[in-house]
Each structure stands twice: as structure tokens, then as C-alpha cells.
Amino acid sequence: MAYRFKLDEPFAAGFRRIARAQLDRTLAEVGEITSNPSSVHESRKALKRLRALLRLVAPAIGDKAFKRRNSALRRIARMLSISRDAEVLATTFDGLRGADERADAHLRAAREHVLAHTHQAQAAPTAETADQVTVLIAKEVKQFARLGLKGHEFAAIERGLEISYRTARRALQRVDTKPSDDNFHELRKAVQWHWRHMSLLSRAWPDAFAVRVAASRELSQMLGDDHDLAMVHQAAMHARDISDDARATLTSICRARQAAIRAAVQPRAARLFAENARPFARRIGSYWQHGRHVTPWPELPSGGLDGQETASVPTLAAPIKAAAPMVETGSATLIAAKTPGRSQSQRRV
């Protein structure tokens, strides 16, 4: 099922539907982790989507219920993260090569020692792990089915949306003040929550939400690359038998790449979270409320409205079944078309 709330569905019902879909997805992927390496990654993504959903409804289910379910899901994710972390370390090391022969030699040496002395590198998903996770997920299916949401209509999730958005703004302020690895990782988590929250609510105005989903997803990927570099650097600092030259080379390359990523991240994050939290949550609530009543508008004629063609246009003599949703954008008023126009000029209209 789609990872989205439905406009005509109570949020409580939507929450249970989406949660069950992600739990079922996790169970299906976990059943294949011993034979399909990508299943670990896919199961962890399903758990991340589930935890983002849980955070959105946290005020509506109560702090105690949220902490219990979030803690349980985090435990399950950690059981699956060991082999994934090892893969990330190896892949990130490989991506650092290419500076010059001397640097590459140091990188190869550092890679061998880091992976050899990292417990994650020697761990792989087992049938026993799959069985344990399956049992835990089955318990969560029952627990999530019992959860109820307090609040009516959009109010059931508005507070959760406001809190998570404010968390992202505060995380951005912290990286501006102290650009540490930990602070950038916290910003990454907040951006991922926002990305998934916008996906969950996207039916309110698909075109408008698609912009925020794409922007936050791109930002999450950039911050993910930064975090991978931080993991490699930290692992190298704690690994044994690495020469000072190899460690210095690795530090220099990682920090240089992180600096480039962070310079690109900050203006994107500032633009994404430019609005204050309360007005943002209220605006999204308005989109949801009005989006429920938006109906398709008849397709414009092929010649547009510039008078170049005389194709039939709806008039008072040809009544229109649905009212036209009007959207103000600066000085122009746009009409939401049922389908994309046939020409570029028509789309501009």
C-alpha cells in the first residue's frame, strides 16, 4: 500500500493501515535476509518509514506509547544494522580513491586495517537473527493495532508535524553554531523525518508536496554521504596498526569532502526550513482541509486561451460539473488542470 494518508480517511484508520503495511513489508524482507543482501537495506527502510509515522502521531498516542514503540523499533533496526554498517564502510573507502597513487596506497592500508578490526565487518545476517526479528515484528503488529489517536481531523497529527519541523530548524541552528559530525547527523535524521512526513501528507496537494519531498530527499542523501565519511574517519581513528601517514591522509580527504558537502547542505536546509514551525504546520493543515474539496478541472483546449484557436471552451451554456480550484501565486492565478497540457505554452497558462 502507498505510504500516504488518504484525504477521505480518518487519520486513526490511516495510521493503522500504513503501520501494518510497513510491518508486513519488514516481515517479508526479513524472511529473505540470508539469501538476498538487499533485504537488510529494504527492511531497515521500512522500519525508518514506520518510525517517522510514529513520530508524526506521537502527541496523539501519548508520550509513553510513543517511547515504547519507538524503542522497540530502534532495537529491531540495530539487530539488522551490523552488516549494513560494514558495507557502508567498505563502499565509502572505495569512493575515496583517486586522489593520487601515494594517497591511494594509504587508503588501501587504512581500509584493510579498519575492516579487519571492525566487528561489523565480520558479522552477517543469520537465520537466527531473522527468526528473532520475525518474533519481535509479530509482537509489534499486535501493539500497533491497539494504538488509538486522540484528536479529530488534521488536529490528530498537526502537533506532531509542528514538533518534528521545529526539531529540524533547531538542528540547523546547531550545525550553524557548531558544525560537528554529531550535529550534522542529528540534522540528517530530522530531514529524513520531514521527507517522510511530506510523503505521508502529499495527497493534500501532490504538486506542491512533490517539491518538498524531492528537496528533503536530496538533502538527506547529501547528509548521508557526510555521515558515511564521518563513520570512516571515526573507525580509522580507533583502528590499530594504521600508520600516522595513513591516518593523516584519510583525515585530510574525509574532512575536505565533508566541507564541500556541508557548504552545499546549509543553504538548501535553510531554504527548506525557512518558515517558523507553527505557521508551517497550520499552512499544511489548510492544504489538507481545502485539498479534500478540490475536484478535477476540465482540460483546457489545445490552443490555450490566447485566441489563436477557436476550440470550444466551457461557458455558461455548457455548465461545468466541478468548481475550479484557484491558486494565487504572486501576480498570476493558476488553474489546476486535470491532466498536463499538450504544449509548453498551455502549461505556462
Side-chain angles (χ1 to χ4, degrees):
M1 291 185 181
Y3 185 70
R4 293 189 294 273
F5 284 107
K6 297 178 182 179
L7 290 168
D8 59 350
E9 177 184 45
F11 277 102
F15 167 73
R16 287 189 292 270
R17 171 181 57 81
I18 297 169
R20 182 57 189 265
Q22 297 308 312
L23 289 166
D24 288 346
R25 176 69 179 272
T26 306
L27 280 172
E29 295 293 345
V30 166
E32 299 182 7
I33 61 174
T34 56
S35 59
N36 184 4
S38 66
S39 290
V40 174
H41 185 47
E42 293 302 319
S43 60
R44 293 183 71 214
K45 287 198 300 184
L47 289 170
K48 285 183 178 182
R49 288 190 289 266
L50 187 54
R51 291 179 67 191
L53 171 67
L54 195 62
R55 189 169 294 275
L56 183 62
V57 303
I61 64 175
D63 188 58
K64 183 181 293 186
F66 166 73
K67 288 181 176 179
R68 286 178 175 173
R69 302 280 62 78
N70 189 53
S71 178
L73 295 176
R74 184 169 58 240
R75 177 191 172 193
I76 295 170
R78 285 176 177 171
M79 294 174 67
L80 296 169
S81 68
I82 296 177
S83 61
R84 178 65 182 169
D85 289 346
E87 179 186 344
V88 167
L89 283 174
T91 302
T92 306
F93 261 114
D94 294 340
L96 294 176
R97 295 179 182 176
D100 55 60
E101 291 185 6
R102 182 172 178 273
D104 285 351
H106 287 313
L107 286 172
R108 283 194 297 271
R111 183 186 190 279
E112 291 175 4
H113 287 296
V114 166
L115 295 183
H117 294 89
T118 301
H119 293 299
Q120 287 96 324
Q122 300 168 0
T126 64
E128 182 181 0
T129 300
D131 290 342
Q132 291 174 349
V133 170
T134 298
V135 170
L136 292 174
I137 290 293
K139 291 181 179 178
E140 290 307 304
V141 170
K142 296 179 181 179
Q143 293 294 338
F144 271 82
R146 296 191 186 107
L147 292 178
L149 272 61
K150 299 177 182 178
H152 300 285
E153 301 291 342
F154 193 81
I157 57 96
E158 183 174 3
R159 180 63 176 160
L161 178 64
E162 179 183 339
I163 291 172
S164 67
Y165 182 90
R166 181 176 290 112
T167 299
R169 282 176 54 85
R170 289 175 178 172
L172 178 58
Q173 291 172 355
R174 283 193 293 272
V175 301
D176 288 340
T177 304
K178 184 181 179 182
S180 66
D181 290 345
D182 287 342
N183 284 343
F184 269 95
H185 184 45
E186 291 301 312
L187 177 61
R188 178 199 179 198
K189 290 191 291 185
V191 168
Q192 288 182 334
W193 298 336
H194 184 70
W195 159 24
R196 292 183 168 96
H197 291 170
M198 294 298 94
S199 296
L200 285 165
L201 299 171
S202 61
R203 282 196 169 106
W205 192 353
D207 291 341
F209 277 77
V211 174
R212 297 198 68 89
V213 169
S216 52
R217 185 175 184 180
E218 177 194 49
L219 190 57
S220 173
Q221 292 171 340
M222 295 168 70
L223 289 164
D225 291 342
D226 179 86
H227 181 59
D228 294 345
L229 290 164
M231 286 178 60
V232 165
H233 180 260
Q234 184 179 16
M237 294 304 100
H238 292 89
R240 297 172 290 176
D241 303 326
I242 296 181
S243 69
D244 290 341
D245 286 345
R247 186 174 282 109
T249 297
L250 183 61
T251 297
S252 176
I253 295 175
C254 284
R255 292 313 188 195
R257 296 205 180 182
Q258 284 182 291
I261 291 171
R262 292 173 181 185
V265 158
Q266 287 176 296
R268 285 173 168 81
R271 179 178 62 180
L272 187 64
F273 300 112
E275 194 172 359
N276 288 332
R278 180 62 64 82
F280 173 80
R282 288 179 174 175
R283 178 166 62 85
I284 299 302
S286 294
Y287 289 171
W288 188 266
Q289 178 62 31
H290 297 300
R292 297 170 62 186
H293 305 291
V294 171
T295 54
W297 182 260
E299 184 178 0
L300 291 172
S302 60
L305 300 179
D306 56 6
Q308 298 302 312
E309 294 189 16
T310 58
S312 61
V313 179
T315 64
L316 292 177
I320 298 171
K321 295 181 179 180
M326 310 296 286
V327 180
E328 295 291 338
T329 58
S331 60
T333 301
L334 304 181
I335 302 177
K338 182 177 181 180
T339 58
R342 299 180 184 176
S343 65
Q344 187 175 359
S345 62
Q346 187 172 331
R347 286 195 296 271
R348 285 200 297 269
V349 173

